[in-house]
């Protein structure tokens, strides 16, 4: 309500929380030293207030709570702010701007998004929201909802989700049922998006309502939904982590006595080679899951060893096209496994040839890229000779990937061994430059 109340809140909270967690931010008055000693004692210097404003926006820093009266309600943007405790009567645009403080979009370092904000009203301002906000009703519709409305919405949505998503098919153990759901029902991107959006709406409501006793009967259902969400998200993501993207309270709930059935097998990255592929064919489980894990393994291999990219990148691009055909059901899991087997065979042939030539990975990548080029064959140009010439040029221009001048000189030098190509020369030169500088 006023500066004295701010100071008293700070004093009371210091008895319950570490003092560095809170700061009171208010204006200075010369008479405070005599008339309001507690207010003067807790008054921040201009420099400290500036630091506090910035530190509050950083999740790992203190303070975690700001106690304000007239400051920071307008013009101060702290996207991570989730909860506001309102203990001051407000109206119209001031109230609207205050409420808006908690509605800023925010995503933390782990990719968890703030999807909703909480206002705890101690003075009853929000009981008569339409009176407090004298605007057109359409302008304030949905700005803020009472907890009772949110609870009813939660109950409806979780009941629908349980019916739509948790009635798993019968047969097999828990791992097999989970796999059938994840790689059967959610194979198509549209179906995945519908479920993930549905879950995130429910999770946002759970986070805002918890720990209401009204949620007690829904704990088991919500936990199963959270585990299914983690399974679906991780099964189709490039980077996996069982609890990735679960909100804070939900993550704690799932961690308590969690039994992540099937998740290890669903999200296992495997080596992309013929030996592994043949072993997978003999494993029980869906071919769709095996295809995703094989492609994920290929993606991880390129990320771990950038030098392998000239050979593996074209294979990865084709593998990802196979994956897209599988997701759109243009091909089957079995057919996709056969197509990946052909790519694995090609990879082994490339590895053997690379070893025999003694070329660097980038130079050999040029040979592998050009080996079937019709333009080279018709002009009588040997792709291996072009690869060897590229090896020499890369030694002359070692920084071509980051230095524009060296890249220009490399491009110019590549035209000479390709003079016989005439019309196709520029296209082939650009292919080579892109391959060795990417």
């Amino acid at each position: 309500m006023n500066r004295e109340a701010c100071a008293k809140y700070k004093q009371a909270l210091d008895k319950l929380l570490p003092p560095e967690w809170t700061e009171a931010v208010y204006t200075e008055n010369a008479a405070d030293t005599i008339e309001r000693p507690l207010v003067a004692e807790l008054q921040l210097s201009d420099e400290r207030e500036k630091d506090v404003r910035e530190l509050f926006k950083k999740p790992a820093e203190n303070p975690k709570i700001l106690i304000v009266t007239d400051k920071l309600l307008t013009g101060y943007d702290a996207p991570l702010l989730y909860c506001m405790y309102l203990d001051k009567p407000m109206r119209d645009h001031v109230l609207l701007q205050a409420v808006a403080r908690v509605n800023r979009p925010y995503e933390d370092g782990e990719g968890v998004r703030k999807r909703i904000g909480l206002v705890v009203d101690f003075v009853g301002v929000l009981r008569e929201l339409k009176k407090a906000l004298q605007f057109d009703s359409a302008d304030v519709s949905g700005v803020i909802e009472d907890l009772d409305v949110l609870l009813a919405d939660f109950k409806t949505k979780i009941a629908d989700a349980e019916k739509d998503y948790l009635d798993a098919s019968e047969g097999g153990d828990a791992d097999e049922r989970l796999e059938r759901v994840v790689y059967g029902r959610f194979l198509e991107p549209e179906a995945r998006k519908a479920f993930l959006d549905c879950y995130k709406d429910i999770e946002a409501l759970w986070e805002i309502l918890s720990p209401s006793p009204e949620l007690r009967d829904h704990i088991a259902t919500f936990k199963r939904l959270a585990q299914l969400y983690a399974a679906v998200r991780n099964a189709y993501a490039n980077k996996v982590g069982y609890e990735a993207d679960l909100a804070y309270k939900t993550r704690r709930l799932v961690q308590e006595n969690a039994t992540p059935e099937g998740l290890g097998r669903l999200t296992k990255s495997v080596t992309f080679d013929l030996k592994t592929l043949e072993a997978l064919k003999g494993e029980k489980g869906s071919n769709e899951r095996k295809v995703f894990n094989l492609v994920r393994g290929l993606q991880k291999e390129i990320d771990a060893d950038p030098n392998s990219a000239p050979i593996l990148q074209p294979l990865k691009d084709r593998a990802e096209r196979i994956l897209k055909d599988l997701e759109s059901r243009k091909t089957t899991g079995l057919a996709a496994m056969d197509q990946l087997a052909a790519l694995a065979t090609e990879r082994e042939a490339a590895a053997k040839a690379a070893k025999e030539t003694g070329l660097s990975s980038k130079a050999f990548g040029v040979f592998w890229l050009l080996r079937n080029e019709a333009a080279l064959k018709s002009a009588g140009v040997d792709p291996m000779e072009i690869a060897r010439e590229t090896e020499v040029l890369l030694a002359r221009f070692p920084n071509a990937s980051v230095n524009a001048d060296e890249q220009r000189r490399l491009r110019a030098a590549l035209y000479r061994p390709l003079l016989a190509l005439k019309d196709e020369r520029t296209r082939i030169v650009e292919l080579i430059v892109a391959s060795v500088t990417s």
Side-chain angles (χ1 to χ4, degrees), residues 138-301:
D139 294 335
V140 299
S141 177
V143 167
I144 193 160
E145 298 284 0
D146 190 87
L147 289 183
D148 291 340
V149 175
L150 297 183
L151 181 61
D153 190 27
F154 171 83
K155 288 180 177 179
T156 299
K157 287 182 174 177
I158 198 167
D160 290 344
E162 182 177 24
K163 179 181 175 183
D164 292 343
Y165 296 115
L166 295 184
D167 291 340
S169 57
E170 296 181 358
D173 59 23
D175 288 359
E176 291 168 334
R177 291 196 300 272
L178 179 62
E179 186 171 325
R180 279 200 300 273
V181 171
V182 171
Y183 287 106
R185 176 158 190 189
F186 298 121
L187 183 63
E188 295 170 343
E190 295 80 8
R192 289 202 297 275
K193 184 177 186 304
F195 167 67
L196 298 179
D197 289 346
C198 170
Y199 167 79
K200 275 300 179 183
D201 285 343
I202 293 171
E203 183 188 63
L205 291 168
W206 178 276
E207 291 286 313
I208 207 81
L209 293 165
S210 178
S212 167
E214 295 274 4
L215 299 180
R216 190 175 296 127
D217 293 339
H218 305 284
I219 290 175
T221 301
F222 179 66
K223 189 171 180 178
R224 287 173 62 205
L225 274 175
Q227 290 173 331
L228 179 59
Y229 170 81
V232 172
R233 185 187 183 280
N234 291 345
Y236 293 98
N238 291 337
K239 295 180 180 179
V240 303
Y242 169 55
E243 290 154 5
D245 202 27
L246 294 180
Y248 177 71
K249 294 179 187 177
T250 304
R251 193 180 307 158
R252 290 182 62 189
L253 174 70
V254 170
Q255 286 171 343
E256 293 170 6
N257 305 314
T259 54
E261 296 95 344
L263 289 169
R265 188 173 73 185
L266 289 185
T267 60
K268 180 174 65 175
S269 295
V270 295
T271 306
F272 185 82
D273 58 28
L274 268 177
K275 183 178 178 182
T276 303
L277 202 141
E278 290 302 320
L280 282 176
K281 283 183 177 180
E283 259 186 27
K284 69 176 183 177
S286 72
N287 286 313
E288 289 78 9
R289 182 256 303 171
K290 297 169 187 175
V291 168
F292 271 89
N293 287 346
L294 281 163
V295 176
R296 183 183 287 120
L298 185 56
Q299 291 166 333
K300 284 185 69 175
E301 191 170 347

Side-chain angles (χ1 to χ4, degrees), residues 103-142:
N103 269 355
R104 297 294 190 266
Y106 177 71
E107 183 174 331
D108 71 11
E110 297 178 1
V112 179
R113 296 176 184 173
K114 182 183 80 174
R115 298 172 68 91
I116 201 166
L118 177 65
V119 178
V120 181
D121 177 15
F122 284 111
V123 288
V125 169
L126 303 180
R127 277 200 213 104
E128 299 290 338
L129 184 62
K130 288 185 179 178
K131 288 183 180 178
L133 295 175
Q134 293 295 323
F135 302 105
D136 186 287
S137 60
D139 294 335
V140 299
S141 177

